[in-house]
Amino acid sequence: MRHLAFSTLLLLLLTGCKVYYPNHTQQDYKQADTVIQNPYFADLNDERLYRATIRFYKKEFSGMFVAKRINQQEHRIVLTSDLGNTFFDMTIAKDKHQVNYIMQDLNKKIIINTLVKDFRTLTQVNYPITYQDSSSRQFLSTMDGKRYFLNLNDQGKLVKIETASKYKPKLKIQLSTDSIGKLDKFSIQHHGIKLQMEFVNIPF
Amino acid sequence: MKTKLILLIICLFHFAYTKAQEEAMSNAEISNFKQTVVAEAQKIKTLKTDFVQYKHLDFLSKEITSSGSMLLKNPNKLLWKYNKPIQYGILFKDNKVLINDQGKKNKVDLGNNKKFEKINKMIIGSISGDLFSANDFNITFYKNKNQRIAKLSPKTKELSTYIQTVILYFNNQQLTVSEVQLIEPSKDYTKIVFKNKQINQPIADASFSF
């Protein structure tokens, strides 16, 4: 009887914990060995300004956002208020980061770690691919135990980056370009916490 | 020819040096300057000005430029209205903060906290020169050929985590501020240059709304 209960529990656990694949199942993927480039923050001379709106639970605030690749390894990420004062200013590399400034109210480890992870995913230039789906529009990159799903549109442009643990989606970044292929709008949406960030390009 | 060129270079450098050169005001000058600025500030009932705001971030090749107008009506009414690069307004009225972000009104804003309000009070004080009477800062005074300059460092740790120094520039004998520079602890700064200043021209209360 005890054995039966254990087996049932095990069965329930196994069927409940399906490995997460957005819009697909594991069978739809085949092995691949390629690299997808995220071109939007890859150019060392590119300076674009975005209007940011950030919603965190019931709080909402807005400001000016800049992300710039400052050398081969690092990006500088800054958000300021409309009145000019800096909310945060960080330098982010693949395995490390540096907080150049952060407003006292935001200076909490959990906030900094979330921002670093989000903007690292947004600005990472190369994603090594290990699997791709049959349509060759969705790619899976696995790095440091994290899974990154990258979506290309019909024109081959990167339009979505989704991060997931083995079983759950974590973060969704949606990207859209203007007529010359520059990043015009993007959004970062969390699944676990109620944090959503939207960015729209403005003249600079 | 070579000597002439060297002389020309020396002259140019000398000119640039003189222009930028700041010297500390004497005690008598400070006292006189403070007195006249504070007296002028006390006369301000309304102030209307256009402004251009430059946000300097060291790693960018150019500054982030915003512009708009500012209305002040004493006591307790202040409106910053940005027209470029986006339509954005922040209204301080009767101890409330209202925001109009491209038509979206009355949002809860991160800026809507006491510390941020303090910074904004500091900005109002900067424009009117009223800051000189505040006890929150250590102030030093300088002058150059065309400007009188006040440099304010916050005394409290709370404020100095946001702003390292506020520099107020008074152009050509003017008694209200022509330019404010807010230097952050990281050395990046925001510079606000005021243009078309009008003092004590009537401003309807209705202007302080969205």
Side-chain angles (χ1 to χ4, degrees):
Chain A
M1 187 60 194
R2 201 186 210 182
H3 183 69
L4 181 68
F6 179 73
S7 306
T8 317
L9 186 68
L10 193 68
L11 190 71
L12 272 172
L13 275 174
L14 284 174
T15 49
C17 296
K18 220 170 90 184
V19 177
Y20 175 75
Y21 285 90
N23 314 322
H24 291 284
T25 62
Q26 194 164 2
Q27 284 72 42
D28 296 324
Y29 287 81
K30 57 181 186 205
Q31 277 199 323
D33 181 16
T34 180
V35 173
I36 295 283
Q37 218 204 20
N38 169 7
Y40 305 126
F41 298 96
D43 190 342
L44 281 165
N45 299 314
D46 211 8
E47 293 180 351
R48 285 168 75 79
L49 181 66
Y50 293 88
R51 168 87 180 155
T53 308
I54 297 175
R55 278 176 218 101
F56 182 61
Y57 288 87
K58 282 183 179 169
K59 280 194 174 181
E60 180 173 306
F61 62 102
S62 51
M64 305 287 184
F65 175 84
V66 179
K68 185 185 174 186
R69 189 176 191 184
I70 51 170
N71 56 44
Q72 287 305 314
Q73 290 81 34
E74 295 172 316
H75 283 83
R76 188 89 174 252
I77 314 283
V78 177
L79 180 73
T80 76
S81 79
D82 291 287
L83 297 162
N85 57 309
T86 304
F87 286 141
F88 61 78
D89 174 353
M90 298 188 287
T91 305
I92 298 178
K94 196 168 185 285
D95 306 308
K96 57 179 185 176
H97 69 270
Q98 186 188 317
V99 177
N100 305 313
Y101 175 78
I102 189 155
M103 202 176 166
Q104 219 174 3
D105 311 61
L106 298 172
N107 194 1
K108 293 180 180 73
K109 210 173 169 188
I110 185 166
I111 296 180
I112 294 172
N113 286 344
T114 305
L115 293 171
V116 168
K117 277 186 207 162
D118 290 6
F119 294 122
R120 182 178 282 145
T121 307
L122 174 74
T123 54
Q124 173 147 337
V125 178
N126 291 313
Y127 280 92
I129 300 301
T130 41
Y131 288 91
Q132 67 180 67
D133 77 342
S134 48
S135 70
S136 299
R137 291 277 171 265
Q138 195 173 86
F139 298 83
L140 171 60
S141 175
T142 312
M143 282 177 289
D144 309 320
K146 254 196 185 170
R147 299 154 80 233
Y148 299 82
F149 292 93
L150 292 99
N151 273 64
L152 306 185
N153 68 6
D154 293 342
Q155 287 83 46
K157 289 236 170 330
L158 180 64
V159 289
K160 191 163 85 175
I161 306 170
E162 195 173 354
T163 68
S165 65
K166 193 163 183 186
Y167 302 111
K168 276 195 292 193
K170 294 269 184 198
L171 180 77
K172 190 162 75 181
I173 300 178
Q174 281 180 297
L175 308 140
S176 74
T177 54
D178 59 16
S179 55
I180 55 163
K182 294 279 187 189
L183 187 60
D184 190 35
K185 276 184 206 168
F186 60 99
S187 67
I188 301 176
Q189 194 179 354
H190 281 256
H191 287 276
I193 46 172
K194 283 188 179 162
L195 171 62
Q196 186 167 4
M197 301 186 254
E198 279 167 24
F199 303 82
V200 180
N201 178 236
I202 48 174
F204 179 22
Chain B
M1 181 63 198
K2 204 174 171 187
T3 325
K4 273 185 185 169
L5 191 68
I6 291 169
L7 272 175
L8 179 71
I9 290 170
I10 290 172
C11 279
L12 282 174
F13 268 108
H14 181 72
F15 176 71
Y17 179 70
T18 323
K19 195 167 182 278
Q21 199 181 26
E22 277 174 16
E23 56 176 287
M25 283 190 201
S26 70
N27 284 343
E29 281 172 327
I30 292 171
S31 154
N32 178 45
F33 178 58
K34 269 166 82 171
Q35 222 174 2
T36 46
V37 167
V38 172
E40 185 69 20
Q42 279 165 355
K43 280 188 233 157
I44 295 175
K45 301 280 177 280
T46 69
L47 195 145
K48 192 177 175 182
T49 179
D50 295 331
F51 69 87
V52 183
Q53 177 182 302
Y54 304 91
K55 172 73 182 177
H56 173 88
L57 293 165
D58 212 31
F59 68 97
L60 294 181
S61 63
K62 52 186 174 177
E63 288 162 328
I64 300 171
T65 309
S66 321
S67 60
S69 58
M70 193 215 74
L71 299 178
L72 171 73
K73 190 169 186 176
N74 278 328
N76 290 336
K77 287 190 186 71
L78 171 74
L79 174 65
W80 287 94
K81 220 168 162 180
Y82 290 81
N83 300 321
K84 279 180 188 168
I86 52 147
Q87 300 277 342
Y88 178 86
I90 180 159
L91 174 63
F92 295 82
K93 191 164 114 177
D94 310 324
N95 299 318
K96 283 186 195 136
V97 186
L98 302 167
I99 286 172
N100 185 344
D101 187 355
Q102 299 170 91
K104 251 200 287 175
K105 291 174 196 172
N106 293 341
K107 289 193 309 185
V108 181
D109 193 272
L110 181 78
N112 190 2
N113 64 35
K114 286 207 169 102
K115 282 172 209 155
F116 201 45
E117 222 179 301
K118 212 167 179 177
I119 290 176
N120 280 288
K121 276 188 182 153
M122 197 168 81
I123 295 171
I124 309 174
S126 313
I127 298 154
S128 61
D130 208 20
L131 275 190
F132 297 159
S133 52
N135 281 325
D136 296 341
F137 303 94
N138 290 316
I139 313 175
T140 47
F141 294 89
Y142 304 84
K143 61 178 183 182
N144 64 26
K145 206 176 160 198
N146 303 316
Q147 291 169 313
R148 286 176 290 178
I149 302 155
K151 295 186 183 177
L152 299 90
S153 319
K155 281 182 189 167
T156 61
K157 205 181 162 197
E158 193 196 5
L159 210 53
S160 60
T161 57
Y162 294 92
I163 298 288
Q164 190 195 59
T165 316
V166 182
I167 308 181
L168 311 179
Y169 295 90
F170 297 76
N171 285 355
N172 303 321
Q173 305 305 312
Q174 282 182 33
L175 293 172
T176 53
V177 172
S178 321
E179 194 178 315
V180 182
Q181 197 177 357
L182 299 131
I183 304 170
E184 299 184 354
S186 64
K187 305 283 181 217
D188 286 328
Y189 62 83
T190 305
K191 187 171 78 181
I192 305 170
V193 179
F194 300 104
K195 291 188 301 188
N196 311 324
K197 239 185 298 175
Q198 295 173 35
I199 294 168
N200 293 340
Q201 298 294 313
I203 305 174
D205 281 347
S207 305
F208 295 91
S209 59
F210 292 131

